[in-house]
Amino acid sequence: MGELPAKVSIREVGPRDGLQNEDPVPTGAKIKLLDALSATGVGRIEAVSFVHPKAIPQMADADEVWAGATPADGVRYSALVPNSRGARRALAAGFTEVEVVVSASDTHNRRNVNRSTAESLDDIAGLIALLHDAGATAEVIVATSFGCPYEGDVDPARVAGIVDRVLADGADRIAFGDTTGMGTPRRVRELVSAVRERQPDAPLLLHFHNTRGTALANLLTALELGVTEFDASVGGLGGCPYAPGASGNVATEEVVHMLHDMGVDTGIDLDRLIEVAEYAEEIVGRQLPSGVLRAGPRTRLG
Amino acid sequence: MGELPAKVSIREVGPRDGLQNEDPVPTGAKIKLLDALSATGVGRIEAVSFVHPKAIPQMADADEVWAGATPADGVRYSALVPNSRGARRALAAGFTEVEVVVSASDTHNRRNVNRSTAESLDDIAGLIALLHDAGATAEVIVATSFGCPYEGDVDPARVAGIVDRVLADGADRIAFGDTTGMGTPRRVRELVSAVRERQPDAPLLLHFHNTRGTALANLLTALELGVTEFDASVGGLGGCPYAPGASGNVATEEVVHMLHDMGVDTGIDLDRLIEVAEYAEEIVGRQLPSGVLRAGPRTRLG
């Protein structure tokens, strides 16, 4: 085990990526979830996405949710947008950190947005310019970075090429999504190495799914490689890892629990976070796939 | 990430540790499970335990199960025993590899067998002698090695002291059980280092539970420390990690899936193992907590 970073930055994605992949919940519950997360000590929250309500009814009330929430000092909030219309809505709502998505795999990108990866990258160049003109930052999320459910392995060199392209177009940050949980420690190592070789200073964030149980092993590997930014979803909101087709976000409290026991600071109050996970479970009305939510932290004695 | 071993030895514990912690299943199903596992390429199987049928009704048919099974060439089979009566039954049944258990935590040991750890270690010295006299090997499983649900942290020096003692008494192998899933990569590193410092050549086997999501991260850490022997339970038999009080064995197919993708050989045919996990799910009649069983390996495309 190499030297571990003393501190990592967790971005809580439950309110957006999580709830977008659950049955719709009431606007008031979304606001309450967001505000509860803001009080956990987490530094970053993906709050909403500005997508077409017909495509994703779960996010149809994004404006109301954000208007009703009470942003906390010291917390950075971001929104995801699919296109310039969404970007304008995010900017109008006051967001200064905006995310856009492209799939590393052509087939996955076509199935999602009916365009090739290259076509989406051209669109993204325009979106980055639009966001920068308005004074916002642009993060590019590269989906299927660790494998594609249609194509299989995705060449890390292809992902690194996408990183080169979007950085040249002005992207402020890059996130790598393990969209269907195909990541393993080997894939993490290969991808981070391939990107770092060409872009040693690019800010990288990793987004793991626990679909095949590897999320924390992947995160540990990334930590050992010096990566310090990770997405996670409270309670594992966003689909059960044990159900077919589920997204299977790694649960924030499982990430925080492991990191804290290893002496890696997250700034997050784990007990408070577990209370929020209990609330998340309540609003989606099903048992969430989080061991730390069920069993409590290892420090909880019987 | 350090150099990884080229090959590891998995001991499949589903038939014993797994089924012992599930509702009872018919004898015929146990035999079929055992024989199916024998055909996966796994090198070792914990087959049964010889315990009092009133204490553990799930294992009351241990003699019938073992008599009905068809041991495969090249597979090592073991049995767990609580005392000399169980040891004699195991020997009479023809086992040449036998396991005994002690908890590193006094409180846990007392709650299990109403004796202190030291008292149990005295008993174990006698059991080792009994087994050796009959030409069998004796493995000592040290439960609560990574933490106790009643006492909390367990000092690695205490566990290392137990290792010293049982090796002096002739134990052939040591296994460390993460009985309630309190292990993290840090705890694994501390324990393996503490033991290795005093007993550099002792054969160590690690047994992880996924109660808090850390099982594969723990296993990765152990691999990096050069540990090459691990327990795992097909389908995660032995209690759901998301249910209170569950044992939460890590699923063999999740272990094998990650190891194979990292280029670490196990000798196991993953597709065949997943079929056995499907059968395991069928005989216990509930959804088992295995992501690879649900989603398939990362190489399975949509």
Side-chain angles (χ1 to χ4, degrees):
Chain A
M1 208 186 297
E3 277 295 299
L4 298 181
K7 187 171 170 52
V8 307
S9 169
I10 304 285
R11 177 168 63 186
E12 170 57 51
V13 302
R16 200 290 299 175
D17 189 27
L19 291 183
Q20 184 162 327
N21 292 290
E22 301 281 352
D23 290 337
V25 306
T27 304
K30 291 179 186 173
I31 293 169
K32 203 170 154 191
L33 180 71
L34 204 41
D35 287 347
L37 286 167
S38 293
T40 59
V42 71
R44 299 154 80 176
I45 301 177
E46 190 189 44
V48 291
S49 63
F50 292 98
V51 288
H52 197 289
K54 279 197 183 150
I56 303 180
Q58 290 93 331
M59 290 287 131
D61 55 359
D63 280 302
E64 292 86 337
V65 170
W66 184 240
T70 307
D73 285 344
V75 181
R76 293 160 52 191
Y77 298 88
S78 61
L80 183 137
V81 306
N83 50 32
S84 58
R85 186 185 161 85
R88 288 195 191 90
R89 284 178 63 199
L91 293 167
F95 281 95
T96 56
E97 295 199 22
V98 176
E99 302 145 23
V100 298
V101 188
V102 62
S103 282
S105 141
D106 252 328
T107 310
H108 193 265
N109 205 67
R110 282 186 193 282
R111 296 226 187 174
N112 268 0
V113 293
N114 203 28
R115 305 169 79 66
S116 69
T117 299
E119 287 169 322
S120 282
L121 288 171
D122 289 341
D123 296 344
I124 283 173
L127 284 172
I128 293 171
L130 186 161
L131 292 165
H132 283 183
D133 284 349
T137 62
E139 171 177 312
V140 178
I141 299 172
V142 187
T144 65
S145 282
F146 302 91
C148 165
Y150 310 118
E151 295 184 9
D153 292 340
V154 170
D155 187 350
R158 179 176 165 92
V159 182
I162 292 170
V163 172
D164 291 344
R165 164 72 195 270
V166 300
L167 287 175
D169 289 336
D172 299 283
R173 290 178 303 281
I174 317 285
F176 298 109
D178 185 14
T179 312
T180 58
M182 292 173 69
T184 67
R186 167 196 169 181
R187 308 288 164 181
V188 172
R189 192 184 200 187
E190 288 178 353
L191 179 59
V192 171
S193 304
V195 171
R196 283 264 179 75
E197 204 170 282
R198 289 151 69 155
Q199 301 285 354
D201 303 319
L204 307 181
L205 180 149
L206 302 186
H207 176 112
F208 293 122
H209 285 188
N210 205 24
T211 320
R212 293 172 179 86
T214 56
L216 293 186
N218 292 343
L219 190 139
L220 176 64
T221 299
L223 270 186
E224 291 177 2
L225 293 166
V227 175
T228 58
E229 300 186 43
F230 300 97
D231 276 355
S233 179
V234 64
L237 274 178
C240 175
Y242 304 133
S247 91
N249 281 307
V250 66
T252 313
E253 59 276 15
E254 290 198 352
V255 171
V256 171
H257 174 261
M258 184 178 89
L259 289 175
H260 285 191
D261 191 57
M262 296 173 70
V264 179
D265 186 24
T266 66
I268 294 172
D269 180 325
L270 180 57
D271 290 335
R272 196 169 280 193
L273 179 66
I274 291 173
E275 286 172 19
V276 183
E278 286 165 2
Y279 179 65
E281 193 163 72
E282 192 187 314
I283 65 177
V284 297
R286 67 173 181 92
Q287 185 167 299
L288 290 176
S290 162
V292 171
L293 170 54
R294 290 270 91 66
R298 66 187 296 289
T299 49
R300 187 183 295 173
L301 303 186
Chain B
M1 207 186 298
E3 277 294 299
L4 297 182
K7 186 168 172 52
V8 307
S9 169
I10 305 286
R11 177 169 61 187
E12 169 57 51
V13 302
R16 200 289 299 175
D17 189 27
L19 291 182
Q20 184 163 326
N21 292 289
E22 302 281 352
D23 290 337
V25 306
T27 304
K30 291 179 186 174
I31 293 169
K32 204 171 153 190
L33 179 71
L34 203 42
D35 287 347
L37 286 167
S38 293
T40 60
V42 73
R44 299 155 79 177
I45 300 178
E46 190 189 46
V48 291
S49 62
F50 292 99
V51 289
H52 198 289
K54 278 197 185 152
I56 304 180
Q58 290 94 331
M59 291 286 131
D61 56 358
D63 281 302
E64 292 87 335
V65 169
W66 183 239
T70 307
D73 285 345
V75 180
R76 292 162 52 193
Y77 298 87
S78 60
L80 183 137
V81 306
N83 49 33
S84 59
R85 186 184 161 87
R88 288 195 193 91
R89 284 177 64 198
L91 293 167
F95 281 95
T96 57
E97 295 198 21
V98 176
E99 302 145 23
V100 299
V101 188
V102 62
S103 283
S105 140
D106 252 328
T107 311
H108 193 265
N109 205 67
R110 282 187 194 282
R111 296 228 186 173
N112 268 359
V113 293
N114 203 27
R115 305 168 79 66
S116 69
T117 299
E119 288 169 321
S120 281
L121 287 171
D122 289 341
D123 296 343
I124 283 173
L127 284 172
I128 293 172
L130 186 160
L131 292 165
H132 283 182
D133 284 348
T137 62
E139 171 176 314
V140 178
I141 299 172
V142 187
T144 66
S145 282
F146 302 91
C148 166
Y150 311 116
E151 295 185 9
D153 292 341
V154 170
D155 187 350
R158 179 174 165 92
V159 182
I162 293 171
V163 172
D164 291 344
R165 163 74 194 268
V166 300
L167 286 175
D169 289 337
D172 299 283
R173 291 178 302 281
I174 317 285
F176 297 109
D178 185 15
T179 311
T180 58
M182 292 173 69
T184 68
R186 168 197 169 180
R187 307 288 163 180
V188 172
R189 193 186 199 184
E190 289 177 351
L191 179 60
V192 172
S193 304
V195 171
R196 283 266 178 75
E197 205 170 279
R198 289 151 68 154
Q199 300 285 354
D201 302 320
L204 308 181
L205 180 149
L206 302 186
H207 176 114
F208 293 122
H209 285 188
N210 205 25
T211 320
R212 293 171 178 87
T214 56
L216 293 185
N218 292 343
L219 191 139
L220 177 64
T221 300
L223 271 186
E224 291 177 3
L225 293 167
V227 176
T228 59
E229 299 186 44
F230 301 98
D231 276 354
S233 179
V234 64
L237 274 177
C240 174
Y242 304 131
S247 90
N249 280 306
V250 66
T252 314
E253 60 276 15
E254 290 197 351
V255 171
V256 171
H257 173 263
M258 184 178 90
L259 289 175
H260 286 191
D261 191 57
M262 296 172 71
V264 179
D265 186 23
T266 66
I268 294 172
D269 180 324
L270 180 57
D271 290 333
R272 198 170 279 193
L273 180 66
I274 292 172
E275 287 172 19
V276 184
E278 286 165 2
Y279 178 65
E281 193 163 73
E282 193 186 312
I283 65 178
V284 297
R286 67 175 182 90
Q287 186 167 298
L288 291 176
S290 162
V292 170
L293 170 55
R294 290 270 91 66
R298 65 188 297 288
T299 49
R300 187 182 294 173
L301 303 185

